[in-house]
């Protein structure tokens, strides 16, 4: 256990499984108090898949320094109450990781507009909502904070079959750059991590042959584990990146797309 | 309410400064230097002073000194 985030108050969205869960675990191991958000209507399966259920299953306990918080990031009122409750308890929020997101991979001609709307709601609207609410609280303490948005390499390069999804992740990149410029004077850093192929969540449902083909495009010769993405987030959350803002860091093993 | 009103007035005076004159019940957004930047400072100071967090709609539709007082009641500041 390290101490890179000793005493920091962190909020990680979409933290019940996959990348979000790995981020919450690593941050806690580095000394942070981590509020691990999920919508509460899903519980994690062993392969990273989710299934309907209520209430959501807490992935962690308070003794582990990870505290589950259940709300929908795109629900303005629920999110406001949740972040303000954390702020009231600690007097600050130091780090926000906007990880909650959903993906539908559909080729042009088969793009479901219902799915587009769903992705925009969670990936873009929810991310903006959380950034807005949390940055307002970060401003109050004058100590600033770090906001980390999870984008995707598809948002940088584009990818066949992911036009709609990549659009939402491209929006996250634009948001990151603009917000960094606007919030910099308040000492709030805003950066994004753009994961490449990561063995979590939807990747488990993908045809193994396709996974192998995609790994062939990664110069480091393997797909990312959720922990690889979490480590990149740790850098941006910690004081090691104290002079880094407005950056999009691809954690993709040098992917050639 | 008198005590609340005094604290509310003090926040306005601190945010607007002496150049705007003494803030009063006729103060409205768009006048007396009350622009969007000043507005967000005002919101932050009011939230700090009263220990609340406005929802976004209330920030957008705050509009005036008087309406702000009504909003405080919504957040149970009485």
């Amino acid at each position: 256990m390290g101490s890179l985030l000793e005493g920091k108050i962190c909020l990680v969205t979409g933290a019940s499984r996959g990348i979000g869960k790995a981020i919450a675990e690593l941050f806690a191991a580095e000394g942070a108090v981590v509020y691990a958000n999920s919508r509460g209507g899903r519980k994690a399966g062993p392969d990273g898949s989710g299934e309907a259920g209520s209430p959501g299953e807490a992935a962690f306990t308070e003794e582990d320094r990870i505290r589950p918080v259940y709300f929908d990031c795109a629900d303005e009122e629920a999110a406001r109450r949740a972040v303000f409750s954390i702020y009231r308890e600690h007097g600050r929020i130091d780090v926000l990781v906007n990880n909650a997101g959903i993906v539908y991979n559909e080729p042009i001609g088969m793009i479901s507009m219902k799915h587009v709307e769903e992705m925009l709601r969670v990936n873009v609207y929810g991310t903006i909502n959380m950034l807005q609410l949390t940055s307002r609280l970060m401003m109050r303490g004058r100590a600033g904070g770090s906001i980390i948005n999870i984008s995707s390499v598809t948002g940088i390069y584009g990818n066949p079959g992911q036009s709609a999804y990549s659009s939402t992740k491209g929006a996250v990149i634009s948001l990151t750059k603009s917000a960094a410029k606007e919030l910099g004077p308040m000492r709030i850093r805003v950066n994004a991590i753009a994961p490449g192929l990561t063995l979590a969540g939807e990747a488990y449902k993908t045809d193994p042959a396709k996974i192998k083909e995609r790994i062939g495009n990664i110069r480091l010769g393997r797909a990312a584990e959720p922990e690889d993405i979490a480590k990149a987030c740790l850098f941006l959350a910690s004081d090691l990146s104290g002079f880094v803002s407005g950056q999009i860091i691809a954690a993709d093993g040098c992917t050639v797309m | 309410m008198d005590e609340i009103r005094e604290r509310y007035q003090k926040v306005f005076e601190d945010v607007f400064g002496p150049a705007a004159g003494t803030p009063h019940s006729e103060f409205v957004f768009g006048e007396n230097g009350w622009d969007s930047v000043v507005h967000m400072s005002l919101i932050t100071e009011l939230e700090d002073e009263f220990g609340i967090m406005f929802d976004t709609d209330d920030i957008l539709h705050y509009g005036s000194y008087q309406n702000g007082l009504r909003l405080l009641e919504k957040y149970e500041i009485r």
Side-chain angles (χ1 to χ4, degrees):
Chain A
M1 176 168 169
S3 57
L4 282 172
L5 300 180
E6 192 63 47
K8 287 195 186 287
I9 308 302
C10 305
L11 170 58
V12 181
T13 69
S16 65
R17 60 187 176 139
I19 291 172
K21 185 175 180 221
I23 294 168
E25 288 176 336
L26 182 60
F27 280 18
E30 289 290 338
V33 171
V34 183
Y35 286 86
N37 152 266
S38 67
R39 279 191 290 187
R42 300 168 74 87
K43 51 188 178 182
D47 63 350
S49 66
E51 62 180 59
S54 183
E57 180 181 275
F60 310 100
T61 64
E62 192 161 331
E63 305 88 87
D64 295 321
R65 304 168 70 100
I66 300 179
R67 306 173 184 186
V69 280
Y70 300 112
F71 63 91
D72 175 355
C73 295
D75 180 332
E76 280 186 71
E77 181 56 18
R80 185 184 68 82
R81 285 178 188 277
V83 297
F84 191 45
S85 167
I86 295 168
Y87 178 83
R88 268 191 305 205
E89 184 171 350
H90 300 280
R92 66 186 204 281
I93 297 177
D94 300 305
V95 177
L96 165 68
V97 183
N98 263 321
N99 169 71
I102 55 174
V103 55
Y104 291 103
N105 297 326
E106 296 166 337
I108 294 170
M110 294 179 68
I111 295 173
S112 154
M113 295 314 289
K114 180 174 171 292
H115 290 166
V116 172
E117 199 171 307
E118 209 178 317
M119 286 191 286
L120 284 169
R121 183 176 186 279
V122 177
N123 301 0
V124 182
Y125 186 97
T127 299
I128 294 173
N129 187 40
M130 291 302 297
L131 180 143
Q132 172 159 271
L133 290 169
T134 309
S135 64
R136 278 177 52 206
L137 295 171
M138 287 175 170
M139 285 176 205
R140 286 204 208 178
R142 277 72 175 172
S146 173
I147 296 175
I148 303 158
N149 297 324
I150 303 299
S151 177
S152 164
V153 286
T154 66
I156 302 173
Y157 303 114
N159 199 38
Q162 295 191 298
S163 294
Y165 173 70
S166 66
S167 301
T168 68
K169 290 302 186 178
V172 170
I173 290 172
S174 303
L175 168 69
T176 300
K177 291 179 178 176
S178 293
K181 290 177 171 65
E182 191 168 335
L183 297 175
M186 276 74 85
R187 304 182 65 183
I188 299 170
R189 299 184 293 109
V190 187
N191 293 286
I193 295 294
L197 176 64
T198 305
L199 294 178
E202 297 299 311
Y204 282 97
K205 297 177 187 169
T206 307
D207 178 358
K210 285 194 173 169
I211 294 278
K212 194 176 173 188
E213 184 186 324
R214 288 187 62 185
I215 289 174
N217 296 330
I218 301 172
R219 303 309 295 161
L220 288 184
R222 65 174 177 86
E225 297 290 341
E227 291 73 19
D228 293 312
I229 311 305
K231 287 174 188 170
C233 290
L234 173 61
F235 168 68
L236 291 177
S238 77
D239 295 339
L240 292 175
S241 60
F243 204 55
V244 179
S245 191
Q247 303 305 307
I248 315 303
I249 299 178
D252 66 351
C254 190
T255 298
V256 181
M257 294 183 82
Chain B
M1 189 62 189
D2 283 350
E3 183 236 336
I4 300 295
R5 179 74 179 250
E6 279 174 24
R7 289 164 62 194
Y8 183 78
Q9 174 73 17
K10 176 78 168 47
V11 170
F12 265 73
E13 288 174 6
D14 289 347
V15 170
F16 282 87
T22 305
H24 52 76
S25 58
E26 301 302 314
F27 257 49
V28 293
F29 183 83
E31 296 177 12
N32 305 99
W34 191 344
D35 60 15
S36 57
V37 175
V38 170
H39 187 55
M40 286 315 297
S41 296
L42 178 66
I43 291 296
T44 302
E45 294 302 324
L46 286 169
E47 288 179 332
D48 262 351
E49 175 63 30
F50 294 104
I52 56 175
M53 185 179 191
F54 290 113
D55 72 36
T56 308
D57 272 351
D58 289 337
I59 295 173
L60 294 176
H61 300 114
Y62 193 99
S64 69
Y65 183 103
Q66 280 300 102
N67 193 48
L69 280 173
R70 282 191 286 273
L71 278 177
L72 287 185
E73 291 194 31
K74 174 182 167 185
Y75 290 89
E76 299 179 347
I77 305 298
R78 298 188 173 95

